[in-house]
PDB file of all heavy atoms in Angstrom:
ATOM      1  N   GLY A 108      13.529  -9.415  11.534  1.00 90.00           N
ATOM      2  CA  GLY A 108      14.073 -10.655  12.029  1.00 90.00           C
ATOM      3  C   GLY A 108      15.570 -10.600  12.266  1.00 90.00           C
ATOM      4  O   GLY A 108      16.177  -9.534  12.331  1.00 90.00           O
ATOM      5  N   VAL A 109      16.165 -11.779  12.389  1.00 85.00           N
ATOM      6  CA  VAL A 109      17.620 -11.902  12.478  1.00 85.00           C
ATOM      7  C   VAL A 109      18.081 -12.449  11.127  1.00 85.00           C
ATOM      8  O   VAL A 109      17.862 -13.597  10.800  1.00 85.00           O
ATOM      9  CB  VAL A 109      18.028 -12.868  13.616  1.00 85.00           C
ATOM     10  CG1 VAL A 109      19.554 -13.011  13.639  1.00 85.00           C
ATOM     11  CG2 VAL A 109      17.514 -12.367  14.954  1.00 85.00           C
ATOM     12  N   GLY A 110      18.706 -11.625  10.351  1.00 83.00           N
ATOM     13  CA  GLY A 110      19.002 -12.007   8.968  1.00 83.00           C
ATOM     14  C   GLY A 110      17.888 -11.520   8.062  1.00 83.00           C
ATOM     15  O   GLY A 110      18.078 -10.679   7.215  1.00 83.00           O
ATOM     16  N   ARG A 111      16.692 -12.062   8.251  1.00 89.00           N
ATOM     17  CA  ARG A 111      15.495 -11.568   7.578  1.00 89.00           C
ATOM     18  C   ARG A 111      14.278 -12.045   8.335  1.00 89.00           C
ATOM     19  O   ARG A 111      14.321 -13.022   9.087  1.00 89.00           O
ATOM     20  CB  ARG A 111      15.429 -12.012   6.122  1.00 89.00           C
ATOM     21  CG  ARG A 111      15.151 -13.492   5.874  1.00 89.00           C
ATOM     22  CD  ARG A 111      15.050 -13.734   4.386  1.00 89.00           C
ATOM     23  NE  ARG A 111      14.776 -15.124   4.059  1.00 89.00           N
ATOM     24  CZ  ARG A 111      13.546 -15.634   3.924  1.00 89.00           C
ATOM     25  NH1 ARG A 111      12.477 -14.880   4.169  1.00 89.00           N
ATOM     26  NH2 ARG A 111      13.381 -16.901   3.600  1.00 89.00           N
ATOM     27  N   GLY A 112      13.159 -11.344   8.142  1.00 94.00           N
ATOM     28  CA  GLY A 112      11.930 -11.718   8.812  1.00 94.00           C
ATOM     29  C   GLY A 112      11.169 -12.799   8.075  1.00 94.00           C
ATOM     30  O   GLY A 112      11.625 -13.345   7.067  1.00 94.00           O
ATOM     31  N   GLU A 113       9.982 -13.103   8.596  1.00 96.00           N
ATOM     32  CA  GLU A 113       9.149 -14.123   7.948  1.00 96.00           C
ATOM     33  C   GLU A 113       8.721 -13.700   6.549  1.00 96.00           C
ATOM     34  O   GLU A 113       8.524 -14.546   5.666  1.00 96.00           O
ATOM     35  CB  GLU A 113       7.899 -14.402   8.795  1.00 96.00           C
ATOM     36  CG  GLU A 113       8.160 -15.148  10.079  1.00 96.00           C
ATOM     37  CD  GLU A 113       6.857 -15.624  10.715  1.00 96.00           C
ATOM     38  OE1 GLU A 113       6.184 -16.500  10.113  1.00 96.00           O
ATOM     39  OE2 GLU A 113       6.489 -15.109  11.775  1.00 96.00           O
ATOM     40  N   VAL A 114       8.543 -12.419   6.358  1.00 97.00           N
ATOM     41  CA  VAL A 114       8.114 -11.876   5.064  1.00 97.00           C
ATOM     42  C   VAL A 114       9.178 -10.897   4.572  1.00 97.00           C
ATOM     43  O   VAL A 114       9.664 -10.071   5.331  1.00 97.00           O
ATOM     44  CB  VAL A 114       6.752 -11.160   5.198  1.00 97.00           C
ATOM     45  CG1 VAL A 114       6.316 -10.572   3.853  1.00 97.00           C
ATOM     46  CG2 VAL A 114       5.687 -12.125   5.722  1.00 97.00           C
ATOM     47  N   VAL A 115       9.514 -10.999   3.304  1.00 97.00           N
ATOM     48  CA  VAL A 115      10.517 -10.107   2.691  1.00 97.00           C
ATOM     49  C   VAL A 115       9.751  -9.147   1.762  1.00 97.00           C
ATOM     50  O   VAL A 115       9.382  -9.526   0.654  1.00 97.00           O
ATOM     51  CB  VAL A 115      11.573 -10.901   1.895  1.00 97.00           C
ATOM     52  CG1 VAL A 115      12.628  -9.945   1.334  1.00 97.00           C
ATOM     53  CG2 VAL A 115      12.225 -11.944   2.786  1.00 97.00           C
ATOM     54  N   PRO A 116       9.498  -7.931   2.200  1.00 97.00           N
ATOM     55  CA  PRO A 116       8.547  -7.057   1.495  1.00 97.00           C
ATOM     56  C   PRO A 116       9.167  -6.258   0.328  1.00 97.00           C
ATOM     57  O   PRO A 116       9.003  -5.034   0.240  1.00 97.00           O
ATOM     58  CB  PRO A 116       8.072  -6.121   2.608  1.00 97.00           C
ATOM     59  CG  PRO A 116       9.288  -5.967   3.485  1.00 97.00           C
ATOM     60  CD  PRO A 116       9.960  -7.313   3.459  1.00 97.00           C
ATOM     61  N   PHE A 117       9.845  -6.953  -0.552  1.00 97.00           N
ATOM     62  CA  PHE A 117      10.505  -6.301  -1.686  1.00 97.00           C
ATOM     63  C   PHE A 117      10.066  -6.919  -3.007  1.00 97.00           C
ATOM     64  O   PHE A 117       9.989  -8.147  -3.133  1.00 97.00           O
ATOM     65  CB  PHE A 117      12.037  -6.402  -1.553  1.00 97.00           C
ATOM     66  CG  PHE A 117      12.583  -5.678  -0.370  1.00 97.00           C
ATOM     67  CD1 PHE A 117      12.795  -6.351   0.836  1.00 97.00           C
ATOM     68  CD2 PHE A 117      12.863  -4.320  -0.429  1.00 97.00           C
ATOM     69  CE1 PHE A 117      13.283  -5.677   1.954  1.00 97.00           C
ATOM     70  CE2 PHE A 117      13.361  -3.638   0.683  1.00 97.00           C
ATOM     71  CZ  PHE A 117      13.566  -4.319   1.872  1.00 97.00           C
ATOM     72  N   GLY A 118       9.839  -6.059  -3.991  1.00 97.00           N
ATOM     73  CA  GLY A 118       9.390  -6.548  -5.287  1.00 97.00           C
ATOM     74  C   GLY A 118      10.334  -7.514  -5.935  1.00 97.00           C
ATOM     75  O   GLY A 118       9.916  -8.540  -6.482  1.00 97.00           O
ATOM     76  N   SER A 119      11.640  -7.219  -5.907  1.00 96.00           N
ATOM     77  CA  SER A 119      12.615  -8.114  -6.531  1.00 96.00           C
ATOM     78  C   SER A 119      12.557  -9.514  -5.943  1.00 96.00           C
ATOM     79  O   SER A 119      12.710 -10.514  -6.656  1.00 96.00           O
ATOM     80  CB  SER A 119      14.032  -7.542  -6.394  1.00 96.00           C
ATOM     81  OG  SER A 119      14.202  -6.430  -7.215  1.00 96.00           O
ATOM     82  N   TRP A 120      12.354  -9.587  -4.643  1.00 97.00           N
ATOM     83  CA  TRP A 120      12.300 -10.890  -3.970  1.00 97.00           C
ATOM     84  C   TRP A 120      11.138 -11.727  -4.516  1.00 97.00           C
ATOM     85  O   TRP A 120      11.287 -12.921  -4.796  1.00 97.00           O
ATOM     86  CB  TRP A 120      12.160 -10.698  -2.465  1.00 97.00           C
ATOM     87  CG  TRP A 120      12.079 -11.973  -1.699  1.00 97.00           C
ATOM     88  CD1 TRP A 120      10.966 -12.649  -1.323  1.00 97.00           C
ATOM     89  CD2 TRP A 120      13.179 -12.752  -1.205  1.00 97.00           C
ATOM     90  NE1 TRP A 120      11.264 -13.799  -0.641  1.00 97.00           N
ATOM     91  CE2 TRP A 120      12.627 -13.872  -0.551  1.00 97.00           C
ATOM     92  CE3 TRP A 120      14.561 -12.585  -1.253  1.00 97.00           C
ATOM     93  CZ2 TRP A 120      13.443 -14.838   0.043  1.00 97.00           C
ATOM     94  CZ3 TRP A 120      15.371 -13.548  -0.656  1.00 97.00           C
ATOM     95  CH2 TRP A 120      14.802 -14.659  -0.011  1.00 97.00           C
TER      96      TRP A 120
END
Side-chain angles (χ1 to χ4, degrees):
V109 178
R111 71 177 180 89
E113 289 191 67
V114 178
V115 182
F117 296 94
S119 288
W120 179 268

